[in-house]
Amino acid sequence: MAYNPLHIVLVAPEIPQNTGTIGRLCVNTGTVLHLIEPLGFLLDDTHLKRAGLDYWPFLRWHLWHSFPHFLQEMNPQRMLFLSSKTQRSLFQTQIHPGDFLVFGNEQHGLPPEFYQTYQDSLVTIPMTGIHARCHNLANAASIALYEALRQLNFPQESH
């Protein structure tokens, strides 16, 4: 599959199955995955590999020791931070080639300082919020990535 110009960034992910599922999502869409330490699991975790199945060897990914290290090395032009703690809808946000979709971890979301530093770049996946606070990380990454790909007219390829 051809490369698409998007990136997913997971800041301190904790659940290997979510990261494995997101890795598989990235392989299937040509998206680059960035993992920001600390990780809540080892990269050779059985659950990570099971969730990613045999896709992991084909994943284009990077491991970063910290978010500042990631910023310094990648110098991203534009980042969108997915959070349930904002009103700005992802669906009302124009996605650009080269955007980085940044997700916090399963238990705490984004680091607290991100809400101030990146307040103009926070977006949310709309939901009723009646019975749940947020989506599962892997589901949120899937929703956000496919909305971004839809906006960028991601090619429809058949097998």
Side-chain angles (χ1 to χ4, degrees):
M1 174 165 292
Y3 166 72
N4 91 64
L6 296 170
H7 300 257
I8 288 183
V9 180
L10 302 181
V11 180
E14 298 175 326
I15 300 175
Q17 294 92 330
N18 283 334
T19 300
T21 298
I22 293 167
R24 184 175 180 173
L25 171 71
C26 289
V27 168
N28 282 314
T29 58
T31 304
V32 179
L33 177 62
H34 301 269
L35 302 176
I36 311 294
E37 293 182 314
L39 306 180
F41 50 87
L42 298 175
L43 287 172
D44 62 355
D45 187 288
T46 303
H47 299 292
L48 175 76
K49 289 182 179 180
R50 186 176 303 129
L53 293 174
D54 55 350
Y55 291 78
W56 204 259
F58 304 104
L59 177 63
R60 291 180 314 135
W61 65 285
H62 302 277
L63 178 64
W64 305 101
H65 298 297
S66 67
F67 197 74
H69 182 228
F70 158 76
L71 292 175
Q72 179 182 6
E73 294 296 319
M74 290 304 300
N75 191 27
Q77 294 296 311
R78 183 166 174 244
M79 297 181 289
L80 295 173
F81 294 81
L82 279 288
S83 174
S84 61
K85 298 177 182 174
T86 187
Q87 297 299 311
R88 183 177 169 209
S89 172
L90 170 68
F91 301 148
Q92 302 302 316
T93 302
Q94 186 176 3
I95 306 298
H96 303 289
D99 280 355
F100 288 72
L101 305 175
V102 182
F103 298 85
N105 68 36
E106 295 88 344
Q107 190 171 24
H108 302 289
L110 295 166
E113 64 273 15
F114 281 34
Y115 293 100
Q116 181 66 32
T117 304
Y118 301 108
Q119 65 184 354
D120 294 336
S121 298
L122 292 171
V123 295
T124 193
I125 297 168
M127 54 184 213
T128 63
I130 294 172
H131 299 291
R133 295 181 314 277
C134 60
H135 289 282
N136 164 278
L137 179 60
N139 290 341
S142 297
I143 293 166
L145 180 58
Y146 270 93
E147 170 59 16
L149 293 171
R150 182 194 67 79
Q151 288 188 29
L152 295 175
N153 297 313
F154 187 63
Q156 302 293 318
E157 297 182 11
S158 59
H159 297 253

